[in-house]
Amino acid sequence: MSAVIIDGKQVAADVRNEVAQKVAELKTKGISPCLAVILVGENPASVSYVTGKQKALAEVGMVDRSVHLPENTSEADLLKLIDELNADDSVHGILVQLPLPKHINEEKVIMAISPEKDVDGFHPVSVGNLMIGRPGFLPCTPHGIIVLLKKAGIETSGKHAVVIGRSNIVGKPVSILLARKDVNCTVTMCHTGTKNMAEITRQADIIVVASGHPHTLTGDMVKEGAVVIDVGVNRIPDSSKKSGFRLIGDCDFDDLKEKTSFITPVPGGVGPMTIAMLMQNTLESAQNRLK
């Protein structure tokens, strides 16, 4: 068998189209959805992510209030800016691009963002709402994974899902979303302390890999017909590329695509969904303002 490759670019484009229509509707009611993305320093990956977010904002017709601060910006100045954006009713979402320079406490910064504008879904209030199933902003990458599974028509109810990785950004929240009643999986979480991981992954119907290491999952670790969602983005040297590197995921894609029923590519799988769900969250925040 050869896997169906899940086209995250197409699904993300569909989500952005829906968002753009709703943004246009809100504007007729006098509300222009607005996102403030704060970037501190010149981390190349962060600069690239922020550029992607700015393109998406333009595409869906949202107001872009991005702020690019120098590397040596003090923690106090960053917190002051967040306070100002919290108090500004024309701003519906605030996102601080991580990682931050070493002299700034990330936790303090995340805590400073008002939960009503926490479109990244990282504030403890958002995490608590996710945990107990209350309405709130869902973290973008985990939510994007659930949307991909649904749009691909993959049956999830009663299936065994294995999540590899326990980060606060992907592993933990996607485990909770997969176990929710509307998805209804039985979930096992694997991590660096897991013994005999292959024995566990071979039982899985759906595997979400967010380990941050290439080749974490290989063809001999999955059963025939499993679904694999690869969240990883790893740069590996490649002299044939102009950039000198190429991107691969956490899975051995070539090995797995002969054995799985569905698989996401890297790039073009989960990545585009993250930004699409950020647009969705910013729209929801603006709709909440209208209510």
Side-chain angles (χ1 to χ4, degrees), residues 5 28 56 160 202 234 273:
I5 294 169
T28 65
H160 182 194
R202 281 189 208 108
N234 303 288
M273 293 302 295

Side-chain angles (χ1 to χ4, degrees), residues 114-126:
S114 160
E116 283 79 43
K117 298 187 182 189
D118 171 41
V119 287
D120 237 353
F122 290 168
H123 192 283
V125 169
S126 305

Side-chain angles (χ1 to χ4, degrees), residues 123-159:
H123 192 283
V125 169
S126 305
V127 177
N129 286 334
L130 163 71
M131 192 73 202
I132 60 175
R134 286 190 72 233
F137 298 118
L138 298 178
C140 301
T141 303
H143 190 196
I145 291 166
I146 302 300
V147 172
L148 276 184
L149 290 170
K150 288 184 173 174
K151 296 276 189 188
I154 293 162
E155 180 55 57
T156 55
S157 188
K159 300 295 183 188

Side-chain angles (χ1 to χ4, degrees), residues 12-288:
D14 294 345
V15 171
R16 290 197 308 271
N17 283 339
E18 282 171 32
V19 169
Q21 287 167 14
K22 288 174 181 166
V23 167
E25 280 169 33
L26 271 183
K27 284 181 175 171
T28 65
K29 295 168 183 168
I31 290 185
S32 295
C34 168
L35 175 64
V37 180
I38 304 169
L39 173 64
V40 184
E42 301 295 337
N43 177 316
S46 295
V47 171
S48 157
Y49 290 143
V50 169
T51 305
K53 286 164 186 166
Q54 290 177 305
K55 275 186 191 157
L57 285 168
E59 193 186 321
V60 300
M62 288 188 185
V63 178
D64 175 3
R65 285 277 295 274
S66 302
V67 185
H68 192 166
L69 300 170
E71 183 86 24
N72 62 359
T73 300
S74 71
E75 183 177 278
D77 283 349
L78 177 56
L79 293 172
K80 182 169 175 281
L81 172 63
I82 291 169
D83 280 346
E84 286 165 7
L85 293 168
N86 280 337
D88 185 339
D89 282 344
S90 70
V91 175
H92 302 101
I94 303 167
L95 182 154
V96 177
Q97 185 66 48
L98 303 178
L100 286 165
K102 294 272 187 285
H103 64 278
I104 298 176
N105 181 325
E106 282 186 6
E107 196 177 320
K108 241 188 217 178
V109 169
I110 290 167
M111 293 287 283
I113 296 169
S114 160
E116 283 79 43
K117 298 187 182 189
D118 171 41
V119 287
D120 237 353
F122 290 168
H123 192 283
V125 169
S126 305
V127 177
N129 286 334
L130 163 71
M131 192 73 202
I132 60 175
R134 286 190 72 233
F137 298 118
L138 298 178
C140 301
T141 303
H143 190 196
I145 291 166
I146 302 300
V147 172
L148 276 184
L149 290 170
K150 288 184 173 174
K151 296 276 189 188
I154 293 162
E155 180 55 57
T156 55
S157 188
K159 300 295 183 188
H160 182 194
V162 170
V163 177
I164 303 177
R166 55 179 160 188
S167 72
N168 291 335
I169 293 172
V170 181
K172 288 176 190 169
V174 83
S175 299
I176 295 164
L177 289 176
L178 285 163
R180 274 189 172 184
K181 279 191 176 163
D182 61 325
V183 184
N184 222 22
C185 288
T186 299
V187 183
T188 304
M189 187 193 282
C190 296
H191 44 71
T192 48
T194 302
K195 292 183 168 64
N196 305 328
M197 195 187 297
E199 280 179 28
I200 297 167
T201 54
R202 281 189 208 108
Q203 299 167 35
D205 303 302
I206 298 165
I207 308 172
V208 176
V209 192
S211 62
H213 300 285
H215 298 285
T216 297
L217 191 73
T218 52
D220 60 340
M221 294 172 71
V222 303
K223 70 178 182 187
E224 201 79 30
V227 173
V228 172
I229 306 290
D230 189 347
V231 186
V233 181
N234 303 288
R235 290 181 175 204
I236 60 163
D238 184 343
S239 55
S240 72
K241 300 278 185 201
K242 198 168 122 187
S243 60
F245 66 86
R246 64 190 165 96
L247 297 179
I248 63 166
D250 291 346
C251 299
D252 186 336
F253 181 83
D254 293 331
D255 200 12
L256 284 160
K257 74 175 196 291
E258 302 308 321
K259 207 171 171 187
T260 50
S261 57
F262 290 85
I263 190 167
T264 57
V266 176
V270 174
M273 293 302 295
T274 302
I275 292 182
M277 300 329 290
L278 175 65
M279 299 300 113
Q280 173 81 42
N281 280 353
T282 306
L283 169 70
E284 277 175 27
S285 179
Q287 288 170 329
N288 291 344

